[in-house]
Amino acid sequence: MNATGDRRLPARFTLPVTGFILSGIMTIVISGISTLLALGPGAEFLARWPIAWISSWIIAFPTVLVVLPMVRRIVARIVAPP
């Protein structure tokens, strides 16, 4: 914590925190939809969805850390800065 009481992480953690949150949100939505379509609503869906989510997040988080910088460079070439 610095002298002003700011308890936020330093800026160097922007990519991992962004990737963590983005991959978590995306995988919970996509795994939920996929599991629901495969099993239908019910107890089995509720039992399997968390496993599907964690399994996909384990893959998605490191993937986002690798891919996100490349995507930002591609977008910077396509979109004019503000």
Side-chain angles (χ1 to χ4, degrees):
M1 187 161 64
N2 64 24
T4 63
D6 191 355
R7 298 186 67 182
R8 295 183 292 175
L9 293 170
R12 70 179 184 270
F13 291 104
T14 298
L15 178 62
V17 171
T18 300
F20 185 78
I21 294 169
L22 178 63
S23 63
I25 292 169
M26 292 301 298
T27 55
I28 201 166
V29 171
I30 298 304
S31 66
I33 293 167
S34 297
T35 307
L36 184 63
L37 291 174
L39 302 176
E44 188 177 8
F45 163 73
L46 293 175
R48 292 188 180 210
W49 184 15
I51 297 164
W53 175 43
I54 293 300
S55 300
S56 61
W57 201 358
I58 289 169
I59 302 301
F61 178 49
T63 302
V64 166
L65 293 181
V66 171
V67 172
L68 191 55
M70 291 185 279
V71 170
R72 285 183 176 161
R73 285 192 295 274
I74 292 167
V75 170
R77 290 179 179 210
I78 296 170
V79 177

